[in-house]
Amino acid sequence: MRQPRPRLLSPPAVLPEELIAEILYRLPVKSLLQFRCVCKSWKTLISNPQFAKDHLRISISNTSLTHQRLASFTNDNYGYYRMETCSVPSLFENPSTPAKTLSFQVEPYNNQFIVGSCDGLVCFCDQNGYLRLWNPCTRLESKKSPPVDLKPGRVNHRWFWDYGGLEKRFAHYGFGYDQVNDKYKVLIADSRHGTLYATRVHSFGTDSWTTIQNFPCALTSQVGKFASGTLNWLARKGDGSIKSLIISFDLEKETYGKVLLPPHVDGDELDVLSSCLCLCEFNGIHCGLWLMKEYGIQESWTKLASIPYGGVHYTL
């Protein structure tokens, strides 16, 4: 009897490299770190700096809170400081259960504060003026920056930090990304007893600080908000009026600029929402929330909400 011929197995389907990359872009960092062991081509792809940039771009475009994390410093009874982060969704999944956190331990008895965050990186400073970057997803940290000159006070031959903490020593600061030069930069303005000594900028990956011109007018906010390649603070006009404006610092050119608020609006709080500057205004009757859809274009300010408070309901 004639034996049936064995069936030839079809070769396994091979996905195009472009499609594989598109799938990997949408996976969490923890999975990507594991998938580097699948094969050499995946390891090469995932380890490519351009892959990291494309993965970040797609993650940012996700309008859900899947990739958002909260970060803070805590200390225990033994004097150890830790930076802890947790995902925003974990706070809502089961409110009665403590959220899972990632922890990064720093030197004991070394006061720390967070300068800012950008592209998933957290920039923090210690009491000796050294700054570092930490990636909560990969748990990798950068080398220390050169120390920024803090000009500490001296009492009883011991150094101390006035104004109740290291963070208060800096009148203004901010952290962001210079896309043109592919550098993460930090700005710090050192002050003491209300006097601004100097404003300095550091590019991570270099071994120096650059002293720049102090701010052109008095700022009313301490932390610079990063948007469109600039750091932004609320400020008062220098003509004696009480009207606010926004002072910006271009991280590429390292120059100052001004951004106008919506007409007839005075700002109280500045933040970032969906990569755009967001402004809060309190007028005693309601809270107005504004969004600048096109950076630097005054006409692009759009009012998102008007929230009544103080027992008075106000309708626009």
Side-chain angles (χ1 to χ4, degrees):
M1 184 174 178
R2 190 175 181 180
Q3 296 292 330
R5 298 178 63 181
R7 295 180 60 185
L8 297 177
L9 297 177
S10 301
V14 177
L15 294 176
E17 292 185 3
E18 296 79 6
L19 184 55
I20 293 176
E22 288 296 329
I23 295 174
L24 295 178
Y25 287 148
R26 288 157 176 80
L27 297 179
V29 174
K30 183 178 180 180
S31 298
L32 292 175
L33 295 178
Q34 296 173 340
F35 290 167
R36 290 183 301 179
C37 301
V38 171
C39 60
K40 290 184 178 180
S41 61
W42 281 31
K43 180 179 181 181
T44 301
L45 173 63
I46 296 173
S47 302
N48 191 322
Q50 186 58 48
F51 178 88
K53 294 179 181 180
D54 293 337
H55 182 271
L56 174 65
R57 171 178 52 81
I58 292 177
S59 298
I60 293 176
S61 65
N62 188 341
T63 56
S64 69
L65 298 176
T66 304
H67 303 286
Q68 305 297 318
R69 302 188 68 88
L70 299 177
S72 63
F73 267 112
T74 61
N75 66 312
D76 55 28
N77 295 329
Y78 302 98
Y80 284 93
Y81 280 77
R82 291 180 175 84
M83 185 190 297
E84 294 187 347
T85 72
C86 66
S87 67
V88 173
S90 66
L91 300 176
F92 301 98
E93 291 170 355
N94 190 351
S96 61
T97 303
K100 295 181 179 180
T101 62
L102 295 176
S103 183
F104 171 74
Q105 183 171 306
V106 295
E107 293 87 349
Y109 306 106
N110 194 340
N111 293 319
Q112 316 275 330
F113 81 97
I114 296 175
V115 176
S117 63
C118 176
D119 295 344
L121 300 178
V122 180
C123 175
F124 63 97
C125 182
D126 65 25
Q127 68 182 23
N128 298 313
Y130 294 98
L131 290 97
R132 279 186 288 179
L133 301 181
W134 182 51
N135 188 329
C137 293
T138 62
R139 305 192 187 188
L140 297 177
E141 62 174 297
S142 70
K143 295 181 179 179
K144 289 183 178 180
S145 72
V148 61
D149 183 11
L150 297 177
K151 301 187 185 303
R154 195 176 183 85
V155 173
N156 296 329
H157 307 289
R158 299 180 66 181
W159 299 105
F160 78 102
W161 308 104
D162 56 2
Y163 294 154
L166 173 67
E167 182 178 2
K168 301 300 182 181
R169 282 306 306 271
F170 301 133
H172 313 287
Y173 52 86
F175 169 66
Y177 177 60
D178 172 7
Q179 184 176 7
V180 174
N181 298 301
D182 193 21
K183 293 288 186 181
Y184 288 94
K185 295 183 177 182
V186 59
L187 177 147
I188 285 183
D190 186 19
S191 70
R192 176 138 180 250
H193 302 305
T195 300
L196 190 61
Y197 280 101
T199 302
R200 298 176 177 85
V201 173
H202 171 68
S203 298
F204 283 92
T206 66
D207 57 0
S208 64
W209 288 81
T210 301
T211 300
I212 61 174
Q213 174 191 356
N214 283 332
F215 292 93
C217 59
L219 305 189
T220 58
S221 56
Q222 185 178 21
V223 183
K225 304 301 181 179
F226 176 70
S228 298
T230 65
L231 296 173
N232 300 268
W233 296 262
L234 281 175
R236 296 294 180 187
K237 291 184 176 180
D239 56 5
S241 68
I242 62 173
K243 183 70 175 178
S244 294
L245 76 159
I246 295 172
I247 291 296
S248 67
F249 180 75
D250 189 305
L251 289 171
E252 176 202 350
K253 301 176 182 177
E254 298 189 353
T255 57
Y256 295 108
K258 295 182 180 180
V259 177
L260 298 179
L261 301 187
H264 313 296
V265 172
D266 196 14
D268 294 286
E269 296 288 343
L270 188 66
D271 218 311
V272 175
L273 179 64
S274 298
S275 301
C276 298
L277 285 183
C278 181
L279 181 74
C280 292
E281 176 203 18
F282 304 94
N283 66 1
I285 299 176
H286 72 284
C287 169
L289 187 64
W290 297 77
L291 188 73
M292 178 174 259
K293 294 186 175 181
E294 296 183 50
Y295 182 82
I297 307 300
Q298 185 184 24
E299 292 75 17
S300 71
W301 282 108
T302 303
K303 194 166 190 177
L304 300 181
S306 181
I307 306 171
Y309 69 97
V312 177
H313 293 276
Y314 186 86
T315 304
L316 293 179

